[in-house]
Amino acid sequence: MSASNGSAGLGGLPDLAQSPVGLAGGTAAEALRMECATALQHLYRWLQVAVPQQSQLATVIPPLVQAVQLYRAGQDDACAVQLQSVIVQLHQTRALRPTLPPL
């Protein structure tokens, strides 16, 4: 889903709030873990570009660090919830500042 319809998904990334489907015989838990890893990497790269343009975006760094800690602890459900919160905040910020790079 796109941000225009209220979803917090990131472009081609799956919506982390939905229950993931197993990939190539993998389990739903493995798929969620992969989605969290992909979203964390994407957000890290995006923030590297966007924070120099808009220093106020640094406020999402502590919640993103918490998501990384949850991921490392194997708490993928909690990580996904934390990531959704960060993604929603970034979509709201982008709506107010359309000069920021696309998510």
Side-chain angles (χ1 to χ4, degrees):
M1 287 188 205
S2 70
S4 62
N5 65 4
S7 172
L10 286 173
L13 295 178
D15 186 352
L16 295 173
Q18 296 180 0
S19 177
V21 176
L23 302 173
T27 66
E30 291 169 340
L32 179 60
R33 184 150 185 83
M34 193 173 358
E35 290 170 8
C36 286
T38 300
L40 287 167
Q41 292 168 353
H42 179 82
L43 290 172
Y44 174 79
R45 288 189 300 272
W46 188 85
L47 286 169
Q48 282 183 307
V49 173
V51 168
Q53 295 177 26
Q54 192 69 43
S55 62
Q56 295 87 340
L57 288 172
T59 61
V60 302
I61 293 173
L64 195 55
V65 168
Q66 184 180 15
V68 169
Q69 292 168 338
L70 292 166
Y71 176 82
R72 287 182 177 165
Q75 298 177 4
D76 301 326
D77 290 334
C79 176
V81 169
Q82 185 72 12
L83 282 168
Q84 281 301 120
S85 173
V86 169
I87 292 166
V88 166
Q89 183 178 350
L90 291 175
H91 275 292
Q92 291 170 345
T93 301
R94 273 205 78 246
L96 297 172
R97 294 174 182 84
T99 58
L100 288 170
L103 284 169

